[in-house]
Amino acid sequence: MVGRSPVTPKTRTPRRTATAGSGYDDGTRRTEILQTAADLIATSGLRTSLQEIADAAGILPGSLYHHFDSKEAILVELLRRYHADLDRIAAEALDRLDDPAAGSAFDRIVELGTAIARCAVTHRAALQMSFYESPSPNPELVELTRRRPTALLEAMQQTLRAARWSGYLRADVDPAVLADRVVHTMLQVGLDVMRHNARADRVALLLCRLLCTGLATVPPTDAELDGSAAFAAADAAVRSWPADGEQDADDKAAHVRAVARAEFGRRGYEVTTIRDIAAAAGMGLGTVYRLIGSKDELLASIMRSFGEKIAVGWTDVLATDDSVAAKLDAIAWVHTNALARFGDEFRIQLAWMRQNPPDTPNPGWLYAKRLRQIKALLTEGLRAGEVAIEAPSIEVLARCVIGLSWVPESVLGRLGPRAAQLHVRDTCLRGVIARN
């Protein structure tokens, strides 16, 4: 174990009634095909073909068509089952709110969070489609990929509201915003990059501790963090980013990238062609190919550009002589502003990942390097006593901290950058519990 937080209450092992369920275990041939497809899509992305699914299931493609008339029909069914499981978990959580034997407020949060995390792992292919949504000619598929887990958000909100009424959470905590943050975070446990080799329930418990009690041994104030050298470095890096449209008028490649970002955002990466980009840029098709190469090369260029903006902030923040908490806060400020300013680039990367899910959430910003940096920072904090948290390993702790440093787009859209940053401080560094 990495360490133990002095303010973390002991929690019980979640009851089996809160698990995500089997999802694909009714023993039918149709369900066997779905399970095979889910496993392939989760590891290889949506470019997985019906032939590959049939081969992996040990059947001929013609036999597969007896059960599903297209790959999109398989995707729709995977998403239906995923949302049905989420709704079931929400209903069970609401039923438990009236159970006096359900445990402490923290127990209830962990129990629901663990159920969500297990569901995300079970339905990881559908989860990827939901996170990395893009346009499709199938209206039901579009609706399912865009559907928010409304019932689950309501169940978590009611669970958090009960925790606030009991005095466990601070009176100023907004249950709706916190529920959005917690549900989004628990769903991310279904992505290998967050969970790595740890069990879903252990990662869910760690995330609940971070969200509720925070990482810092002594919770820093807003004044301390706003006045830190690390925050000043992050803010200077953010202000150095070029505004939209600021580019050399003679830089045709930059112009193509700017047009491509807009077209990818409007049409979706998968359906946008180089011909579409050339027409929007007012250039010949051959010229565009000479400037940027293939569509994949263009995407890689956009990803590098996004990553380079973030890298400036990370480098400057980590170079400061400041506390671990201040540096983590400043890194989150870089992320919050990157998401607010360059949302198209962020979503374009997600669209690429929907086709080819890698072992990193944002390959454009060198995740492996960022992970090493956060592990070193957390190790420093643990040795100095600035950080105290129980975790399966420093690796998993670092992955979770990186995940929490990115505020969900829904929360950012609701709060705006400054309030979203305060929310990140509460749900990563300070915690949201009421302290004596």
Side-chain angles (χ1 to χ4, degrees):
M1 294 297 180
V2 172
R4 182 177 294 276
S5 170
V7 294
T8 299
K10 185 177 180 181
T11 186
R12 306 171 303 161
T13 300
R15 295 173 295 177
R16 295 301 296 174
T17 54
T19 62
S22 54
Y24 309 105
D25 65 351
D26 62 6
T28 66
R29 190 58 160 163
R30 179 183 178 87
T31 292
E32 182 183 345
I33 293 169
L34 283 172
Q35 180 63 69
T36 300
D39 291 343
L40 286 174
I41 292 169
T43 55
S44 302
L46 285 180
R47 290 180 180 174
T48 300
S49 67
L50 282 175
Q51 180 69 60
E52 290 169 326
I53 295 170
D55 290 344
I59 61 176
L60 295 173
S63 298
L64 189 151
Y65 280 111
H66 287 304
H67 301 279
F68 300 97
D69 60 9
S70 66
K71 187 173 78 172
E72 287 202 334
I74 293 177
L75 302 182
V76 165
E77 184 64 20
L78 290 175
L79 283 160
R80 284 175 182 164
R81 294 189 178 207
Y82 168 59
H83 284 292
D85 231 0
L86 293 179
D87 289 344
R88 176 187 58 78
I89 290 169
E92 291 177 356
L94 290 173
D95 287 343
R96 287 195 303 274
L97 286 177
D98 297 325
D99 181 0
S104 69
F106 183 70
D107 286 335
R108 291 170 184 259
I109 295 169
V110 171
E111 190 163 23
L112 179 51
T114 300
I116 297 169
R118 287 174 176 164
C119 180
V121 173
T122 298
H123 298 278
R124 59 194 183 279
L127 175 74
Q128 287 176 356
M129 286 185 271
S130 297
F131 270 109
Y132 315 144
E133 165 242 323
S134 68
S136 165
N138 185 313
E140 185 177 8
L141 183 57
V142 170
E143 189 276 326
L144 286 167
T145 56
R146 293 178 178 176
R147 181 184 297 177
R148 280 173 59 79
T150 306
L152 197 60
L153 288 165
E154 176 63 21
M156 181 61 76
Q157 185 174 337
Q158 294 300 330
T159 301
L160 295 172
R161 183 173 285 117
R164 191 179 62 177
W165 287 339
S166 73
Y168 179 65
L169 298 183
R170 297 197 320 256
D172 65 332
V173 169
D174 184 334
V177 174
L178 183 57
D180 199 346
R181 170 76 150 164
V182 176
V183 169
H184 185 275
T185 299
M186 294 303 158
L187 288 175
Q188 284 191 317
V189 177
L191 306 177
D192 287 343
V193 67
M194 174 77 83
R195 188 176 69 260
H196 195 44
N197 295 321
R199 296 201 319 263
D201 55 348
R202 298 188 74 183
V203 178
L205 176 58
L206 170 59
L207 287 166
C208 285
R209 286 185 173 131
L210 288 167
L211 291 162
C212 290
T213 64
L215 186 69
T217 306
V218 179
T221 66
D222 287 332
E224 291 169 339
L225 294 173
D226 289 342
S228 71
F231 191 83
D235 200 50
V238 168
R239 286 187 279 106
S240 74
W241 293 339
D244 290 342
E246 282 187 9
Q247 62 186 41
D248 187 339
D250 295 327
D251 189 342
K252 293 182 179 180
H255 174 63
V256 171
R257 285 195 297 271
V259 170
R261 283 196 296 271
E263 290 300 298
F264 288 155
R266 184 170 68 88
R267 299 170 179 265
Y269 172 74
E270 294 169 41
V271 299
T272 302
T273 66
I274 294 294
R275 188 177 299 278
D276 294 328
I277 295 168
M283 295 180 177
L285 186 62
T287 301
V288 171
Y289 273 116
R290 284 194 298 274
L291 288 169
I292 51 87
S294 68
K295 190 169 77 167
D296 284 346
E297 289 173 320
L298 174 58
L299 177 62
S301 175
I302 292 172
M303 292 164 69
R304 281 195 301 273
S305 176
F306 183 73
E308 286 165 1
K309 294 181 180 76
I310 298 171
V312 171
W314 273 68
T315 299
D316 292 350
V317 165
L318 293 176
T320 63
D321 183 17
D322 219 325
S323 69
V324 170
K327 290 180 180 180
L328 291 174
D329 173 67
I331 285 170
W333 183 236
V334 172
H335 292 175
T336 297
N337 281 277
L339 189 57
R341 290 268 302 278
F342 307 108
D344 281 344
E345 285 91 331
F346 185 79
R347 284 183 289 276
I348 288 165
Q349 293 186 74
L350 297 186
W352 179 83
M353 289 165 62
R354 186 170 183 255
Q355 288 291 336
N356 300 284
D359 190 34
T360 63
N362 289 286
W365 62 287
L366 304 176
Y367 182 76
K369 179 178 180 179
R370 304 299 169 228
L371 183 61
R372 289 194 301 271
Q373 291 171 322
I374 291 296
K375 285 168 66 175
L377 193 60
L378 291 172
T379 299
E380 175 189 335
L382 287 163
R383 288 173 179 166
E386 292 184 54
V387 171
I389 195 77
E390 185 177 350
S393 67
I394 192 68
E395 171 88 13
V396 173
L397 177 60
R399 287 171 179 266
C400 289
V401 169
I402 289 177
L404 291 178
S405 69
W406 289 90
V407 66
E409 276 195 281
S410 53
V411 172
L412 178 60
R414 183 195 297 242
L415 300 179
R418 173 59 181 176
Q421 180 69 12
L422 302 183
H423 180 72
V424 173
R425 289 173 178 177
D426 279 342
T427 52
C428 185
L429 297 176
R430 297 188 291 227
V432 291
I433 64 170
R435 300 175 188 268
N436 294 328

